[in-house]
Amino acid sequence: MAYSDKVIDHYEQPRNVGSLDKNDDTVGTGIVGAPACGDVMKLQIKVEDGVIKDAKFKTYGCGSAIASSSLVTEWVKGMNLEDAEKIQNSQIAEELSLPPVKIHCSVLAEDAIKAAIKDYRKKHGGGDEA
Amino acid sequence: MNMSIKTPIYLDYAATTPIDQRVLDKMMPYLTSHYGNAASRTHAYGWAAEEAVEGARVEIAKTINADSKEITFTSGATESNNLALKGVAEYLREQGKHIISVVTEHKAIIDTCKHLERNGCDVTMLPVNAEGLVSIEQLAAAMRDDTILVSVMFANNETGVIQPIAEIGALCHERGVLFHTDGVQAFGKVPIDVKKMNIDLMSISAHKIYGPKGVGGLYVRRRRPRVRLSPQIHGGGHERGNRSGTLNVPGIVGFGEAARLAREAMPAESARTFALREHLRQRLSEIPHAILNGSLEHRLPGTLNMSFAYVEGESLLMGLKDIAVSSGSACTSASLEPSYVLRAMGLDDELAHSSLRMTIGRFTTRDELDYVADQIKFHVERLREMSPLWEMVQEGIDLSSIEWTPH
């Protein structure tokens, strides 16, 4: 299977690998996927005044999964939560030129950022009020 | 990097092998000047082709202690497996309809069994234990009065695990049940004696032993018992009626030469391959949480299958871009399933996703393996730094205690 140049770039030089303190009130953590399925993503955001100041990820999965999560951390930095929440998997898949069998990787990345935002909001009063 | 190493490095000899130059030299005249049809009885072109084919048949038969009349040439082992199973099932339809095989067989057996099931056969697929081995007791218990055929592969293509073929053969012989083995991975690599092992049918292939692709064979026993098959390809009655079609003379000549070379070199070659395999295994065992898949004792000399926990196989392959190995992980193939062979051995999905198959062959060097081991070590460490599972394990979290969200 041939990977796109962008997937290879993110795989070889992943952006924002690492962890934030999940007990920090300003941090939201999303963990999605399952080892049995071959991919698990952990995506964390650090939020100040409704804006994502920092984002980190760790991913167990194929190159496309690593690239999808790396890309999302790059995108969300500087975004407010409302905009970050609107990221669609199709945008990720398009940016990385993912083939059909790898679309699930982009879905997982979308789920991961949504889960991280949800976690952050939960820490701040269950937050549907945004 | 060691400058004496040329990349890419090929470590996928179980998938296919390059043609040995000596094999190609033997084949060449049959592609150009000696182009006769082996079935042409009326002129020298045909006679020369037929003589070459019969010479190859002798070499192949000798490799497994068979008679040359017991070798039927085919297009490859997939066809041989199809012919063996369908041919026996069809011929013995009146005697019985029950076939026994194993869950870790190659798809050419599994899918053929499914086809036979749809056409009225009963198929029992035996499980394997954690080492990848079938149990003789379970096989004996699965046999019925209407069992006509047992098919158990000699050595597994993913793990290299060798089944207790002689014991299975003895049991089948005692019960009067035909015994077929898919011998593709074992043929030419470990000693095979169809008489001593009571093998009635065996599928073999040229391209796994430094011969050309597109040619294989089926050993069909002629005495005690005489095995009969219904042909699956009809036509001019070639190959004693077992398989019609103009013989692939250059391919067969190459197959014969490859078999001769493998037979003559076997003691030295298997010792060399084994030593290299063990060297690689030991180097890779230095990596924490590296797990060998399948029996160490009952294993082909050149095959190694290991899982590197908390690292997904395809991402590891992507890092090993100048090394040709294969992964038992989901995403590598079109299907999103981890290796069914490893799962059948009870490996959990995570470890099955983390597996690599490395197969060593005639042209592998120790320097290459050192380079491969260094590369694997480097990338496993790098990917673990990126792995949330690894992080959790380092924090002392039991992964099985987590409620995952399968997708």
Side-chain angles (χ1 to χ4, degrees):
Chain A
M1 190 181 309
Y3 298 96
S4 71
D5 290 344
K6 280 182 183 157
V7 168
I8 292 169
D9 182 43
H10 278 280
Y11 171 81
E12 289 181 346
Q13 292 162 67
R15 332 291 199 254
N16 310 308
V17 174
S19 293
L20 300 169
D21 178 6
K22 60 176 180 283
N23 298 317
D24 183 336
D25 262 2
T26 64
V27 170
T29 302
I31 299 179
V32 295
C37 303
D39 32 33
V40 175
M41 279 180 197
K42 185 185 83 167
L43 206 146
Q44 293 182 300
I45 49 171
K46 189 175 173 64
V47 185
E48 278 170 31
D49 304 325
V51 173
I52 298 172
K53 290 288 177 197
D54 198 6
K56 296 277 184 203
F57 84 95
K58 283 203 175 189
T59 291
Y60 162 87
C62 66
S64 302
I66 290 171
S68 296
S69 36
S70 170
L71 176 69
V72 167
T73 58
E74 220 177 16
W75 275 356
V76 297
K77 272 204 218 178
M79 270 188 187
N80 62 41
L81 293 179
E82 290 70 33
D83 289 340
E85 220 169 9
K86 285 181 201 142
I87 291 175
Q88 296 286 313
N89 83 285
S90 53
Q91 297 168 287
I92 301 165
E94 193 188 329
E95 173 69 15
L96 295 173
S97 314
L98 297 181
V101 297
K102 297 295 185 188
I103 296 299
H104 71 280
C105 298
S106 63
V107 174
L108 211 56
E110 181 192 320
D111 291 350
I113 183 65
K114 289 205 161 81
I117 293 170
K118 195 175 159 197
D119 181 59
Y120 171 80
R121 287 197 171 134
K122 216 165 104 189
K123 285 181 177 174
H124 295 264
D128 281 329
E129 78 279 8
Chain B
M1 171 180 166
N2 186 328
M3 296 311 287
S4 68
I5 292 171
K6 263 208 281 191
T7 56
I9 292 168
Y10 191 73
L11 275 193
D12 206 12
Y13 285 88
T16 193
T17 60
I19 294 187
D20 191 297
Q21 185 63 48
R22 295 165 290 182
V23 170
L24 184 63
D25 290 346
K26 274 267 184 175
M27 290 170 66
M28 284 305 274
Y30 295 92
L31 289 156
T32 52
S33 50
H34 305 332
Y35 50 80
N37 184 329
S40 297
R41 297 283 156 80
T42 53
H43 51 68
Y45 290 89
W47 302 331
E50 193 194 10
E51 196 186 324
V53 165
E54 294 317 310
R57 217 188 285 279
V58 168
E59 293 298 341
I60 291 160
K62 245 194 217 174
T63 309
I64 55 172
N65 192 27
D67 186 276
S68 67
K69 292 191 186 73
E70 297 175 310
I71 305 296
T72 294
F73 287 116
T74 66
S75 65
T78 291
E79 188 193 327
S80 302
N81 284 334
N82 271 265
L83 174 57
L85 270 55
K86 293 177 187 167
V88 166
E90 194 178 324
Y91 194 85
L92 296 181
R93 191 176 301 170
E94 302 304 314
Q95 267 118 303
K97 57 170 185 173
H98 183 230
I99 294 170
I100 302 172
S101 190
V102 184
V103 288
T104 52
E105 292 290 312
H106 190 273
K107 288 285 183 192
I109 294 290
I110 292 176
D111 287 354
T112 304
C113 283
K114 284 182 186 158
H115 169 83
L116 289 170
E117 232 171 1
R118 284 191 297 271
N119 286 275
C121 285
D122 282 349
V123 179
T124 302
M125 294 302 258
L126 296 174
V128 294
N129 66 13
E131 301 234 281
L133 295 162
V134 290
S135 134
I136 297 290
E137 292 72 32
Q138 278 179 330
L139 173 59
M143 284 184 175
R144 317 191 310 208
D145 290 343
D146 64 342
T147 305
I148 49 169
L149 179 69
V150 167
S151 179
V152 178
M153 71 201 320
F154 205 112
N156 185 269
N157 48 304
E158 286 189 34
T159 59
V161 169
I162 297 175
Q163 299 293 354
I165 294 300
E167 283 102 311
I168 296 169
L171 175 65
C172 291
H173 192 77
E174 185 195 310
R175 301 284 184 97
V177 175
L178 292 180
F179 175 37
H180 167 258
T181 184
D182 175 351
V184 170
Q185 295 293 338
F187 176 70
K189 311 217 181 87
V190 291
I192 299 177
D193 184 324
V194 290
K195 292 197 177 80
K196 277 197 195 133
M197 294 172 165
N198 287 298
I199 295 168
D200 297 315
L201 299 126
M202 178 162 69
S203 304
I204 54 178
S205 175
H207 76 102
K208 308 287 191 189
I209 58 161
Y210 312 93
K213 294 169 184 61
V215 58
L218 182 66
Y219 159 76
V220 185
R221 179 183 284 275
R222 271 167 61 87
R223 260 177 246 270
R224 281 176 289 152
R226 178 184 180 87
V227 179
R228 305 266 209 157
L229 297 169
S230 293
Q232 302 300 309
I233 296 179
H234 301 89
H238 309 74
E239 298 299 273
R240 299 170 184 277
N242 280 345
R243 199 274 191 185
S244 289
T246 297
L247 290 177
N248 170 3
V249 177
I252 289 166
V253 167
F255 192 6
E257 181 66 359
R260 186 183 71 80
L261 291 170
R263 186 181 69 242
E264 289 175 356
M266 196 184 292
E269 189 159 32
S270 84
R272 193 190 88 93
T273 312
F274 175 79
L276 287 173
R277 205 268 325 271
E278 282 301 283
H279 176 65
L280 180 61
R281 185 176 69 83
Q282 274 147 19
R283 287 288 324 272
L284 293 177
S285 299
E286 293 163 10
I287 299 173
H289 302 276
I291 296 140
L292 175 74
N293 295 317
S295 166
L296 179 58
E297 186 189 348
H298 305 284
R299 175 182 287 266
L300 290 175
T303 306
L304 191 57
N305 188 311
M306 291 181 84
S307 289
F308 303 97
Y310 320 118
V311 172
E312 193 271 338
E314 187 184 337
S315 65
L316 183 53
L317 285 190
M318 200 172 162
L320 305 173
K321 56 188 172 193
D322 56 1
I323 301 168
V325 292
S326 75
S327 163
S329 171
C331 305
T332 339
S333 59
S335 67
L336 295 167
E337 289 287 315
S339 156
Y340 67 92
V341 172
L342 298 181
R343 288 176 64 168
M345 289 158 56
L347 216 66
D348 69 35
D349 286 353
E350 192 267 312
L351 282 174
H353 276 298
S354 304
S355 72
L356 282 191
R357 177 187 74 175
M358 295 151 279
T359 38
I360 289 157
R362 188 170 286 169
F363 307 108
T364 308
T365 67
R366 193 179 162 104
D367 282 350
E368 285 179 340
L369 296 181
D370 280 324
Y371 173 75
V372 168
D374 290 343
Q375 285 288 307
I376 291 177
K377 220 169 164 171
F378 173 81
H379 285 284
V380 166
E381 276 168 22
R382 181 178 105 87
L383 290 165
R384 278 183 180 165
E385 285 308 309
M386 232 188 275
S387 165
L389 304 181
W390 179 248
E391 184 180 65
M392 289 174 194
V393 169
Q394 300 304 300
E395 287 169 1
I397 297 170
D398 176 9
L399 295 182
S400 60
S401 72
I402 295 176
E403 251 184 69
W404 299 102
T405 51
H407 49 287

